[in-house]
Amino acid sequence: MKKVSILTMSAATLMIFTSCSKLGELSADNFTVTPNPLETQKGVVPATINGHFPEKYMKKKAVVTVMPELRYSNGVVEKGTPATFQGEKVRGNDQTVNYKMGGNYTMKTSFAYAGDNKAEMFLTFDARIGNKQFDVPAVKVADGVVATSELYKQTVLSTQAAVAPDAYQRINKKKLDANIKFLIQQANLRKSELKNNSVQEFVKMLKQINNDREKLNLENIEVSAYASPDGGFRINDKLAGERQKVSEKYVNQELKKIKFNAPVDAKYTAQDWEGFQELVSASNIQDKELILRVLSMYKDPQEREQQIKNISSAFRELADGILPELRRARLTINYETIGRSDEQILEQLNDDATKLSIEEILYAATLKSTPAEQKAVYQTATKVYPNDYRAYNNIATIEYEQGNYEAAKQCLQQVKNLPEANANLGLLALKDGDVAGAEQYIAGATGANGLSEIMGNLNLAKGNYAEAEENFSEVYSNSAALAQILNRDYVSAAVTLKYIKNPDAMTEYLRALMSARMGNNSDASEALKEAIKKDPAFAKYANNDIELEKVQK
């Protein structure tokens, strides 16, 4: 009888010991995850896990490693960053959990986004006591994934690629100057001055404008006469006025010879202190800085003149090298050159494109109405001007718009040192989710045409939504609307979506997301149906989109 009692007690003791040695299940109640549902940020899915080991769970010799997993509906399993915890009698460097009291812990992790917006987050456990491993079932702790920020890979496809602009201007303003110099205290025109190159070019240009009214247009002729600052204001005022009269008379005589009725605007400056300062600043006169200081200190002309004359060492240099240049009249022709009209450019393009400038050919492409016609003109430009890379870039923009991304990339690889090409290579990198590569390309796109919109797409991909919204301040596009939605600026997003020029399925899907976030599920449902109508592929994505859970599909 005594023996049986001893055996019974031993069995009970063994059962208790075995039970205490095992590590049981943990439930979802032991964990909270932030955020829940999970959400993509800058291409990854971050999560913060707050866990709790219950009282008398962590055996004194136990070691438990917690491994987060994100299990996507497409079968991909992404593992996060594990954390290891140990019992009180374990000699190690991991966080120790008290057996009697249990313990709380926080661990941060992140998962790669696998391109699937439906997933579940689990915690798995590697639990050991000594060399013995125990089976602790995995626990589901969160749902996912809100992947709205990843839509930039689609919105970037409707972004306007950077077109390298032409510099063609049909009408260009030009001017031609001629100078007539006078001797000191004199106002008579010397024959030697009228034969100088600038005056001869002046007369020649008047004749050219008069004979070629289709390509040249005269706006006016200006006559500006001057006297040097020395000699006193009264004398110089009279002298400059006389120089104006004789110069204006000369211009009118030349116009009369060629029977050209043109406006002449004449004026004079009694003391040309401004011209004096410019010439002194550009000279190597010994006391240049002292003279310039005098000009800034004294505003009265007489006082200025006297102070400068007091600098005896410099005055001779001024008298010989500076002042004679200020005794002059400047004759200016303000005119316009008139290039080919749109019709003339297109006609010449068909007849013989080699007679057009590169600017005219690039401009001709903008006159075409279809991408195919534009592409043909750019191809002509590459043949006539193979070393001008703008045409290659612009062919790439057409390929990009049509979804021919590999063809666009091949065109851009032929381009050298063109900011627009770097910007467009950045767009292609963003399409593939290569944010780092895009940033590197776009760093070399300073000054590119349309760079602000492309920078907006880069900041959108980087999660800088406020900066992206600022980049898109004058743009109505899917990317601009997405930036505003992610920045929670729904009022601006509504305006942007309204004014998108060619709304597509993505436009309607963004409208659905915006409406759902604002609690307008009815509007969201209508927009979603329109998106699916335009592109049925959105049906599957929408079914898994947590943001649209409450929207009737």
Side-chain angles (χ1 to χ4, degrees):
M1 190 70 159
K2 185 176 180 181
K3 184 177 180 180
V4 173
S5 298
I6 291 172
L7 288 172
T8 302
M9 184 177 67
S10 297
T13 302
L14 179 62
M15 186 178 295
I16 293 170
F17 179 80
T18 304
S19 177
C20 292
S21 297
K22 290 183 178 181
L23 295 166
E25 295 184 6
L26 293 169
S27 74
D29 294 335
N30 296 117
F31 308 96
T32 58
V33 177
T34 305
N36 190 5
L38 301 174
E39 184 173 356
T40 55
Q41 292 182 17
K42 301 179 183 180
V44 297
V45 184
T48 299
I49 305 160
N50 291 299
H52 172 69
F53 285 115
E55 298 174 1
K56 298 184 180 181
Y57 181 86
M58 182 66 75
K59 305 304 183 281
K60 293 183 179 181
K61 293 185 178 181
V63 176
V64 179
T65 298
V66 181
M67 169 63 77
E69 289 183 356
L70 191 57
R71 302 176 183 179
Y72 290 95
S73 63
N74 61 10
V76 175
V77 177
E78 292 289 347
K79 295 184 181 295
T81 305
T84 302
F85 306 90
Q86 64 188 33
E88 297 170 80
K89 290 188 177 180
V90 177
R91 292 182 179 180
N93 296 321
D94 299 308
Q95 181 177 335
T96 300
V97 179
N98 186 275
Y99 170 69
K100 288 185 179 181
M101 299 178 63
N104 299 321
Y105 62 90
T106 298
M107 54 188 291
K108 292 182 179 294
T109 188
S110 65
F111 308 93
Y113 178 62
D116 184 2
N117 63 336
K118 185 174 179 60
E120 295 176 323
M121 179 179 171
F122 284 81
L123 297 179
T124 62
F125 306 94
D126 182 349
R128 301 173 185 272
I129 297 177
N131 293 325
K132 188 171 183 180
Q133 186 173 7
F134 294 86
D135 182 24
V136 178
V139 179
K140 178 186 171 182
V141 292
D143 290 304
V145 177
V146 176
T148 303
S149 66
E150 289 297 302
L151 291 177
Y152 80 86
K153 295 173 187 174
Q154 282 75 51
T155 64
V156 74
L157 301 181
S158 58
T159 294
Q160 172 61 58
V163 176
D166 64 86
Y168 179 71
Q169 284 185 294
R170 189 185 180 207
I171 298 177
N172 292 281
K173 292 188 178 296
K174 303 274 189 177
K175 74 173 184 176
L176 183 143
D177 288 330
N179 282 298
I180 298 174
K181 292 182 183 178
F182 296 90
L183 296 176
I184 187 171
Q185 301 297 329
Q186 292 185 20
N188 58 298
L189 291 176
R190 293 175 291 163
K191 291 183 179 180
S192 58
E193 285 299 305
L194 297 181
K195 291 180 180 180
N196 74 49
N197 288 337
S198 70
V199 174
Q200 291 301 304
E201 287 298 319
F202 175 88
V203 173
K204 181 180 177 181
M205 179 55 71
L206 287 179
K207 293 178 180 177
Q208 189 175 341
I209 294 172
N210 190 41
N211 293 332
D212 195 355
R213 300 291 182 90
E214 289 187 3
K215 294 182 179 179
L216 298 169
N217 175 57
L218 178 70
E219 290 188 318
N220 74 331
I221 301 170
E222 296 178 7
V223 175
S224 301
Y226 302 88
S228 59
D230 58 316
F233 180 82
R234 182 177 297 177
I235 295 174
N236 287 332
D237 185 67
K238 181 180 179 182
L239 187 60
E242 290 174 353
R243 289 172 178 172
Q244 174 202 309
K245 290 178 183 178
V246 296
S247 301
E248 184 180 4
K249 182 179 179 181
Y250 168 74
V251 171
N252 284 319
Q253 286 174 343
E254 293 300 319
L255 290 171
K256 187 176 181 180
K257 287 179 184 178
I258 59 176
K259 298 180 181 180
F260 193 179
N261 186 19
V264 179
D265 300 322
K267 63 180 181 179
Y268 70 86
T269 300
Q271 292 184 312
D272 188 12
W273 286 108
E274 184 176 334
F276 178 80
Q277 184 170 349
E278 289 179 5
L279 291 177
V280 170
S281 297
S283 72
N284 294 317
I285 294 177
Q286 182 178 354
D287 293 312
K288 177 171 72 174
E289 298 302 324
L290 180 57
I291 295 169
L292 294 174
R293 194 156 56 246
V294 167
L295 292 177
S296 64
M297 289 174 61
Y298 299 97
K299 302 303 179 185
D300 180 72
Q302 289 184 330
E303 184 68 21
R304 274 182 172 179
E305 184 179 351
Q306 185 58 50
Q307 291 295 334
I308 290 172
K309 286 182 176 180
N310 289 340
I311 309 172
S312 57
S313 59
F315 190 73
R316 177 47 54 190
E317 290 184 79
L318 292 174
D320 292 341
I322 301 295
L323 296 177
E325 299 297 319
L326 301 175
R327 300 163 187 144
R328 72 199 191 284
R330 184 176 66 241
L331 314 180
T332 302
I333 301 174
N334 294 306
Y335 67 104
E336 298 171 335
T337 59
I338 304 172
R340 289 184 174 95
S341 66
D342 293 356
E343 293 76 13
Q344 289 171 329
I345 288 176
L346 292 175
E347 184 179 351
Q348 186 63 60
L349 181 70
N350 292 330
D351 292 344
D352 184 0
T354 61
K355 293 183 179 179
L356 291 173
S357 69
I358 180 60
E359 306 303 338
E360 288 174 316
I361 298 179
L362 294 177
Y363 174 70
T366 69
L367 301 176
K368 298 295 185 178
S369 56
T370 68
E373 291 174 326
Q374 293 171 350
K375 183 178 177 180
V377 176
Y378 288 134
Q379 287 172 334
T380 298
T382 63
K383 295 173 183 176
V384 179
Y385 296 97
N387 295 325
D388 193 302
Y389 297 109
R390 288 176 293 175
Y392 293 103
N393 176 81
N394 294 352
I395 291 172
T397 67
I398 294 172
E399 300 288 9
Y400 184 90
E401 184 179 356
Q402 295 179 333
N404 304 323
Y405 304 116
E406 188 57 38
K409 189 173 182 179
Q410 290 176 2
C411 284
L412 294 171
Q413 287 173 341
Q414 300 181 64
V415 178
K416 298 177 183 178
N417 302 321
L418 189 69
E420 286 80 9
N422 286 327
N424 292 329
L425 286 168
L427 277 182
L428 289 168
L430 286 175
K431 174 192 75 71
D432 296 331
D434 181 8
V435 179
E439 190 165 20
Q440 187 173 1
Y441 279 123
I442 294 171
T446 302
N449 181 43
L451 180 60
S452 180
E453 183 175 358
I454 293 172
M455 279 298 301
N457 281 277
L458 176 61
N459 278 316
L460 179 57
K462 291 171 66 178
N464 303 329
Y465 305 132
E467 291 180 36
E469 185 172 354
E470 186 175 344
N471 294 139
F472 290 129
S473 61
E474 297 181 3
V475 176
Y476 298 103
S477 69
N478 289 338
S479 291
L482 178 60
Q484 290 158 343
I485 290 170
L486 293 171
N487 202 34
R488 293 177 169 79
D489 185 1
Y490 304 127
V491 173
S492 296
V495 173
T496 297
L497 291 168
K498 179 180 179 181
Y499 288 104
I500 289 177
K501 188 174 181 180
N502 297 307
D504 55 14
M506 177 58 73
T507 309
E508 299 303 330
Y509 196 81
L510 292 172
R511 196 189 314 278
L513 288 172
M514 178 196 70
S515 299
R517 286 193 174 198
M518 297 174 70
N520 301 329
N521 289 333
S522 177
D523 290 348
S525 179
E526 290 300 316
L528 180 57
K529 289 175 183 177
E530 188 64 26
I532 295 171
K533 181 180 177 181
K534 290 184 175 182
D535 185 354
F538 275 101
K540 180 181 178 181
Y541 188 87
N543 283 334
N544 294 335
D545 195 335
I546 296 176
E547 292 221 59
L548 301 179
E549 275 184 333
K550 298 179 181 179
V551 175
Q552 183 177 354
K553 299 176 176 66

